[in-house]
Amino acid sequence: MPIDRREFLAASLGATVASLPVAVARAQESSQAAVGKLGIPGPYPGRVVAVHHPNCIASGAYESGPVESMIDRGMCELTGADAPLDAWRRFFEPGDVVGIKLNPVGMPHVISAPEVLHPIIRALEQVGVPRRDIVAYDRYGNQFEQAGFAEWLPEGVRWTSASPTFQRIQLDMDGYDSDVYMEMPLVHPDYGEEYDLSDAHVRRSYVAKFLTKEVNKVINICVMKHHQSAGVTLALKNMSHGLVNNVSRSHATTTANACGIFIPAVVDLPVVREKLVLHVLDGVKAAYHGGPGRSVGRYTWEHKAMYFATDPVALDKTGWKAIDAKRAEVGRPPIALLKPDEDSRWLNAQVEHIELASNFGLGVFDDERIDLRRIDLS
């Protein structure tokens, strides 16, 4: 029976997982997030809530009222709560310091939106988390500011980053925890110009102090878009490439691509599994090609949906299928079979990172086990 490229690569990378010596230094005792416990895959493994609202965007601008109603309904359906605040209380309580991971990379076309963030901050306040204990974050401070995030944060909400600016050599340590890292025998070839490639430092991705020292729970607000090397940027990649340094080694060139294994290896770190308690995928506006940011503006569409989950694998499988459905609508091949073109230069997009994340125990990949609940607020 013929095998398609995605099946072949998933099988090949599955063998790599078994043979690749991925060592992890951990600041806390290793543990698996049990069903019912906060963390990954969380209390609702396999459950994804998709909420559609036809009026959530108009003339390219998010509409705050419909977006807030989408969040309220999505949180209630995810948790089974009768009221939105009861849903938020399932995750947060007074005394928590809550981080919110944003995404500015597709600026200005597909990035985190204030209309999504503001009702989430209000909900946190209403369950007893004051603004001073809410910390918005992205890895690069200059991108956070260029995207306008700092300007539209409510007064009193703090923000931070791990690195001040994007760098070619991503081994700066000021914002990262030297005791918590993912180690993988994968080195960016350019590092040989300045570093000894046998140095363990170049084989490690250190976790941001934001996660290890500043917050005890994190909401992952991700966006829906295509990514040339990883296939898609959804919940998993928003964590793997936003919470650690030395990530460019995962896609060093258009042919030396290791996102398939790099992404789940980072998310499998206990500090990520235990503190990332909720994933909100903003698909009000999305991008089906040209990602992460270079040409994404030509391929955006108003998907008019938001997704809610504690299981990032089930969430990403659902988002991946939505992007592929749009690609089919416009006559493009599925992401797993994509070859280089004028706006996507990588040889093979490793969307199989989602299935491999399931193999790591990070969530549910099998469609038959995903409990997808669709809600239309029209």
Side-chain angles (χ1 to χ4, degrees):
M1 184 175 68
I3 185 170
D4 68 21
R5 190 191 70 79
R6 185 183 70 82
E7 292 171 334
F8 172 77
L9 284 177
S12 300
L13 281 169
T16 303
V17 173
S19 60
L20 189 64
V22 179
V24 177
R26 295 170 173 178
Q28 51 195 303
E29 183 178 352
S30 174
S31 65
Q32 298 294 325
V35 173
K37 302 287 187 178
L38 294 181
I40 296 174
Y44 313 107
R47 183 178 301 175
V48 179
V49 179
V51 184
H52 172 266
H53 198 306
N55 302 319
C56 64
I57 187 168
S59 302
Y62 284 54
E63 295 292 323
S64 58
V67 169
E68 184 166 6
S69 69
M70 295 165 80
I71 294 172
D72 286 347
R73 185 63 184 273
M75 290 298 294
C76 287
E77 184 66 27
L78 176 64
T79 61
D82 292 329
L85 286 186
D86 291 335
W88 287 100
R89 290 189 181 103
R90 175 66 182 84
F91 298 95
F92 306 103
E93 61 187 4
D96 284 336
V97 180
V98 181
I100 302 177
K101 170 65 176 76
L102 301 176
N103 191 317
V105 177
M107 69 177 97
H109 307 289
V110 181
I111 62 174
S112 298
E115 294 82 5
V116 173
L117 179 63
H118 289 170
I120 291 175
I121 290 175
R122 286 195 295 271
L124 290 173
E125 289 185 278
Q126 290 170 356
V127 300
V129 181
R131 289 185 181 182
R132 67 177 180 273
D133 289 337
I134 302 172
V135 187
Y137 165 88
D138 191 66
R139 185 159 55 108
Y140 294 121
N142 66 327
Q143 292 184 0
F144 192 100
E145 293 186 294
Q146 289 167 9
F149 295 168
E151 298 174 6
W152 47 253
L153 286 179
E155 184 177 356
V157 173
R158 295 181 285 139
W159 74 272
T160 189
S161 63
S163 298
T165 61
F166 173 84
Q167 303 171 45
R168 182 180 66 86
I169 301 294
Q170 300 174 341
L171 297 175
D172 58 309
M173 287 299 297
D174 287 350
Y176 300 91
D177 191 328
S178 61
D179 293 324
V180 188
Y181 55 85
M182 185 276 288
E183 184 166 322
M184 178 183 289
L186 176 68
V187 177
H188 196 298
D190 290 351
Y191 289 0
E193 301 170 8
E194 302 179 35
Y195 290 86
D196 178 358
L197 296 187
S198 65
D199 183 353
H201 191 72
V202 303
R203 298 166 180 262
R204 294 174 177 172
S205 289
Y206 293 87
V207 179
K209 292 177 183 176
F210 154 78
L211 184 62
T212 65
K213 297 183 181 299
E214 297 182 29
V215 300
N216 70 306
K217 293 175 182 175
V218 177
I219 303 170
N220 180 20
I221 302 181
C222 42
V223 294
M224 180 180 282
K225 65 177 184 287
H226 166 258
H227 190 278
Q228 294 179 42
S229 62
V232 291
T233 291
L234 302 167
L236 289 164
K237 189 174 180 297
N238 200 39
M239 293 183 282
S240 67
H241 284 62
L243 296 173
V244 301
N245 72 353
N246 197 14
V247 304
S248 62
R249 63 188 176 128
S250 69
H251 40 53
T253 70
T254 57
T255 51
N257 191 10
C259 277
I261 185 64
F262 185 92
I263 292 172
V266 172
V267 179
D268 190 50
L269 286 164
V271 71
V272 179
R273 291 187 68 135
E274 293 166 11
K275 291 191 177 184
L276 272 290
V277 301
L278 178 65
H279 309 275
V280 178
L281 174 58
D282 174 4
V284 173
K285 186 160 54 174
Y288 61 87
H289 196 63
R294 174 173 160 263
S295 303
V296 79
R298 287 194 275 172
Y299 302 102
T300 60
W301 91 100
E302 294 180 353
H303 183 50
K304 299 182 179 181
M306 294 184 65
Y307 300 79
F308 304 82
T310 64
D311 178 340
V313 177
L315 181 65
D316 281 16
K317 179 67 176 300
T318 303
W320 168 17
K321 292 174 70 174
I323 292 175
D324 264 355
K326 179 63 179 180
R327 292 177 63 86
E329 179 184 316
V330 299
R332 288 188 173 270
I335 291 171
L337 302 179
L338 176 64
K339 294 299 179 183
D341 61 24
E342 71 280 9
D343 287 320
S344 185
R345 298 174 291 116
W346 259 253
L347 176 60
N348 293 318
Q350 292 187 352
V351 74
E352 57 265 25
H353 73 265
I354 302 171
E355 185 170 3
L356 291 176
S358 178
N359 293 348
F360 275 60
L362 297 169
V364 175
F365 180 82
D366 184 353
D367 288 338
E368 293 184 359
R369 296 175 53 223
I370 292 177
D371 174 17
L372 177 58
R373 305 181 179 191
R374 297 187 182 276
I375 299 169
D376 192 336
L377 296 183
S378 58

